[in-house]
Amino acid sequence: MAEGITTLIVSIAVFAAVSVIAFSLWIGITPLPSTRRAREKILDLLPPGQGPIYELGFGWSGLALALAERCPERRVIGYELSPMPFMISKLRQRMRGIKNLELHWQDFAQANLSDAEVVVCYLYPSGMQRLTEMLARDASRNTVVISNTFSIRDWKHTEVYELNDIYRTRIWVYTVDH
C-alpha cells in the first residue's frame, strides 16, 4: 500500500514538473513568484477605489491572493495560461476561503479590460507588448497599470521604484491617458 502511494506521489510530481516545463517553453516564460518586497510595494501602490483589479499572468497566485485579501470589497480577476500553477492557485484560494477572487485558466489576451480600475502584471517583454495593445483597445482613461520588473515600451511612466531586494526589482506605474 505504501509503495503504491509513493508511486502515485512521484508520478504526480513528475507530471507537475513536466507540465510546468512544457508550458514554460510554449508560453516563453516560467511562472515566477514576485518577491515579498515587490508584492508589498504593489499592494502599497494600489489606488483607492471600488473597481476591479486584474492580475495578468498570476502564476502561483501569491500576489492575486494578497490583492484579494487586501481589497475584500473589490473583485480581483486573474488570468493564467499554465495549468499546474492555475490548479494550485485554485486550491490555495479554496483553502483560504477567498470569495472576491476570480481565477481564469486562459490567455490574458482574451480578457476585456474595459472595466479595469487597476491592472497588475509580471509579464515578459512580448507579453508587455500584447498588454500595450489590449490597453489601447480596452482600458478606460485613468486605469492604473502596475508592472513588476518590465516596463511598457514607449509609454511614459508616472512612477518607478527600485526595490532593495535581491534582484533590485523595478516596479513601474502608469496611468492610461487615452
Side-chain angles (χ1 to χ4, degrees), residues 91-103:
L91 180 61
R92 292 177 73 193
Q93 176 190 16
R94 183 166 289 169
M95 289 172 58
R96 288 164 81 164
I98 298 173
K99 305 283 188 219
N100 63 319
L101 177 59
E102 301 170 23
L103 298 177

PDB file of all heavy atoms in Angstrom, residues 91-103:
ATOM      1  N   LEU A  91      -6.668  25.754  -5.658  1.00  0.00           N
ATOM      2  CA  LEU A  91      -6.640  25.048  -4.383  1.00  0.00           C
ATOM      3  C   LEU A  91      -6.305  26.011  -3.248  1.00  0.00           C
ATOM      4  O   LEU A  91      -6.955  26.008  -2.195  1.00  0.00           O
ATOM      5  CB  LEU A  91      -5.618  23.906  -4.446  1.00  0.00           C
ATOM      6  CG  LEU A  91      -5.464  23.064  -3.184  1.00  0.00           C
ATOM      7  CD1 LEU A  91      -6.765  22.367  -2.829  1.00  0.00           C
ATOM      8  CD2 LEU A  91      -4.349  22.043  -3.376  1.00  0.00           C
ATOM      9  N   ARG A  92      -5.316  26.857  -3.457  1.00  0.00           N
ATOM     10  CA  ARG A  92      -4.938  27.849  -2.435  1.00  0.00           C
ATOM     11  C   ARG A  92      -6.095  28.794  -2.135  1.00  0.00           C
ATOM     12  O   ARG A  92      -6.362  29.123  -0.979  1.00  0.00           O
ATOM     13  CB  ARG A  92      -3.713  28.648  -2.894  1.00  0.00           C
ATOM     14  CG  ARG A  92      -2.447  27.824  -2.962  1.00  0.00           C
ATOM     15  CD  ARG A  92      -1.280  28.639  -3.479  1.00  0.00           C
ATOM     16  NE  ARG A  92      -0.848  29.587  -2.431  1.00  0.00           N
ATOM     17  CZ  ARG A  92      -0.023  30.593  -2.650  1.00  0.00           C
ATOM     18  NH1 ARG A  92       0.460  30.812  -3.863  1.00  0.00           N
ATOM     19  NH2 ARG A  92       0.337  31.387  -1.666  1.00  0.00           N
ATOM     20  N   GLN A  93      -6.791  29.226  -3.181  1.00  0.00           N
ATOM     21  CA  GLN A  93      -7.937  30.114  -3.000  1.00  0.00           C
ATOM     22  C   GLN A  93      -9.017  29.429  -2.171  1.00  0.00           C
ATOM     23  O   GLN A  93      -9.571  30.011  -1.235  1.00  0.00           O
ATOM     24  CB  GLN A  93      -8.503  30.526  -4.358  1.00  0.00           C
ATOM     25  CG  GLN A  93      -9.757  31.365  -4.236  1.00  0.00           C
ATOM     26  CD  GLN A  93     -10.461  31.571  -5.554  1.00  0.00           C
ATOM     27  OE1 GLN A  93     -10.213  30.875  -6.532  1.00  0.00           O
ATOM     28  NE2 GLN A  93     -11.370  32.530  -5.587  1.00  0.00           N
ATOM     29  N   ARG A  94      -9.318  28.201  -2.519  1.00  0.00           N
ATOM     30  CA  ARG A  94     -10.363  27.455  -1.807  1.00  0.00           C
ATOM     31  C   ARG A  94      -9.966  27.237  -0.346  1.00  0.00           C
ATOM     32  O   ARG A  94     -10.793  27.397   0.556  1.00  0.00           O
ATOM     33  CB  ARG A  94     -10.613  26.128  -2.491  1.00  0.00           C
ATOM     34  CG  ARG A  94     -11.736  25.346  -1.826  1.00  0.00           C
ATOM     35  CD  ARG A  94     -12.203  24.222  -2.660  1.00  0.00           C
ATOM     36  NE  ARG A  94     -12.913  24.810  -3.791  1.00  0.00           N
ATOM     37  CZ  ARG A  94     -13.283  24.136  -4.856  1.00  0.00           C
ATOM     38  NH1 ARG A  94     -13.022  22.862  -4.960  1.00  0.00           N
ATOM     39  NH2 ARG A  94     -13.925  24.720  -5.841  1.00  0.00           N
ATOM     40  N   MET A  95      -8.709  26.885  -0.112  1.00  0.00           N
ATOM     41  CA  MET A  95      -8.256  26.633   1.260  1.00  0.00           C
ATOM     42  C   MET A  95      -8.339  27.894   2.124  1.00  0.00           C
ATOM     43  O   MET A  95      -8.582  27.811   3.323  1.00  0.00           O
ATOM     44  CB  MET A  95      -6.823  26.092   1.254  1.00  0.00           C
ATOM     45  CG  MET A  95      -6.729  24.673   0.730  1.00  0.00           C
ATOM     46  SD  MET A  95      -5.031  24.085   0.490  1.00  0.00           S
ATOM     47  CE  MET A  95      -4.349  24.260   2.121  1.00  0.00           C
ATOM     48  N   ARG A  96      -8.145  29.056   1.503  1.00  0.00           N
ATOM     49  CA  ARG A  96      -8.183  30.319   2.256  1.00  0.00           C
ATOM     50  C   ARG A  96      -9.577  30.937   2.265  1.00  0.00           C
ATOM     51  O   ARG A  96      -9.803  31.939   2.935  1.00  0.00           O
ATOM     52  CB  ARG A  96      -7.160  31.292   1.679  1.00  0.00           C
ATOM     53  CG  ARG A  96      -5.747  30.822   2.043  1.00  0.00           C
ATOM     54  CD  ARG A  96      -4.676  31.455   1.243  1.00  0.00           C
ATOM     55  NE  ARG A  96      -4.279  32.766   1.680  1.00  0.00           N
ATOM     56  CZ  ARG A  96      -3.159  33.350   1.308  1.00  0.00           C
ATOM     57  NH1 ARG A  96      -2.319  32.710   0.510  1.00  0.00           N
ATOM     58  NH2 ARG A  96      -2.863  34.557   1.698  1.00  0.00           N
ATOM     59  N   GLY A  97     -10.504  30.365   1.510  1.00  0.00           N
ATOM     60  CA  GLY A  97     -11.885  30.844   1.516  1.00  0.00           C
ATOM     61  C   GLY A  97     -12.062  32.235   0.938  1.00  0.00           C
ATOM     62  O   GLY A  97     -12.925  32.986   1.378  1.00  0.00           O
ATOM     63  N   ILE A  98     -11.282  32.587  -0.059  1.00  0.00           N
ATOM     64  CA  ILE A  98     -11.343  33.931  -0.641  1.00  0.00           C
ATOM     65  C   ILE A  98     -12.424  33.964  -1.722  1.00  0.00           C
ATOM     66  O   ILE A  98     -12.337  33.264  -2.722  1.00  0.00           O
ATOM     67  CB  ILE A  98      -9.971  34.346  -1.202  1.00  0.00           C
ATOM     68  CG1 ILE A  98      -8.955  34.383  -0.059  1.00  0.00           C
ATOM     69  CG2 ILE A  98     -10.054  35.692  -1.909  1.00  0.00           C
ATOM     70  CD1 ILE A  98      -7.537  34.623  -0.495  1.00  0.00           C
ATOM     71  N   LYS A  99     -13.433  34.802  -1.514  1.00  0.00           N
ATOM     72  CA  LYS A  99     -14.602  34.832  -2.397  1.00  0.00           C
ATOM     73  C   LYS A  99     -14.534  35.907  -3.480  1.00  0.00           C
ATOM     74  O   LYS A  99     -15.212  35.809  -4.486  1.00  0.00           O
ATOM     75  CB  LYS A  99     -15.879  35.060  -1.574  1.00  0.00           C
ATOM     76  CG  LYS A  99     -16.082  34.063  -0.466  1.00  0.00           C
ATOM     77  CD  LYS A  99     -16.573  32.756  -0.990  1.00  0.00           C
ATOM     78  CE  LYS A  99     -16.960  31.857   0.161  1.00  0.00           C
ATOM     79  NZ  LYS A  99     -16.610  30.500  -0.028  1.00  0.00           N
ATOM     80  N   ASN A 100     -13.736  36.945  -3.282  1.00  0.00           N
ATOM     81  CA  ASN A 100     -13.704  38.056  -4.241  1.00  0.00           C
ATOM     82  C   ASN A 100     -12.641  37.878  -5.324  1.00  0.00           C
ATOM     83  O   ASN A 100     -12.344  38.798  -6.068  1.00  0.00           O
ATOM     84  CB  ASN A 100     -13.489  39.390  -3.512  1.00  0.00           C
ATOM     85  CG  ASN A 100     -12.153  39.452  -2.790  1.00  0.00           C
ATOM     86  OD1 ASN A 100     -11.715  38.484  -2.183  1.00  0.00           O
ATOM     87  ND2 ASN A 100     -11.515  40.609  -2.838  1.00  0.00           N
ATOM     88  N   LEU A 101     -12.081  36.676  -5.429  1.00  0.00           N
ATOM     89  CA  LEU A 101     -11.034  36.384  -6.407  1.00  0.00           C
ATOM     90  C   LEU A 101     -11.581  35.443  -7.468  1.00  0.00           C
ATOM     91  O   LEU A 101     -12.089  34.368  -7.152  1.00  0.00           O
ATOM     92  CB  LEU A 101      -9.828  35.738  -5.707  1.00  0.00           C
ATOM     93  CG  LEU A 101      -8.655  35.300  -6.577  1.00  0.00           C
ATOM     94  CD1 LEU A 101      -8.071  36.477  -7.355  1.00  0.00           C
ATOM     95  CD2 LEU A 101      -7.576  34.647  -5.710  1.00  0.00           C
ATOM     96  N   GLU A 102     -11.495  35.876  -8.731  1.00  0.00           N
ATOM     97  CA  GLU A 102     -11.906  35.058  -9.874  1.00  0.00           C
ATOM     98  C   GLU A 102     -10.647  34.674 -10.640  1.00  0.00           C
ATOM     99  O   GLU A 102      -9.967  35.544 -11.167  1.00  0.00           O
ATOM    100  CB  GLU A 102     -12.827  35.842 -10.807  1.00  0.00           C
ATOM    101  CG  GLU A 102     -14.090  36.348 -10.184  1.00  0.00           C
ATOM    102  CD  GLU A 102     -14.830  37.309 -11.102  1.00  0.00           C
ATOM    103  OE1 GLU A 102     -14.625  37.268 -12.339  1.00  0.00           O
ATOM    104  OE2 GLU A 102     -15.594  38.128 -10.566  1.00  0.00           O
ATOM    105  N   LEU A 103     -10.364  33.392 -10.689  1.00  0.00           N
ATOM    106  CA  LEU A 103      -9.182  32.913 -11.402  1.00  0.00           C
ATOM    107  C   LEU A 103      -9.626  32.234 -12.686  1.00  0.00           C
ATOM    108  O   LEU A 103     -10.493  31.351 -12.662  1.00  0.00           O
ATOM    109  CB  LEU A 103      -8.392  31.935 -10.529  1.00  0.00           C
ATOM    110  CG  LEU A 103      -7.844  32.507  -9.224  1.00  0.00           C
ATOM    111  CD1 LEU A 103      -7.152  31.432  -8.408  1.00  0.00           C
ATOM    112  CD2 LEU A 103      -6.900  33.675  -9.492  1.00  0.00           C
TER     113      LEU A 103
END
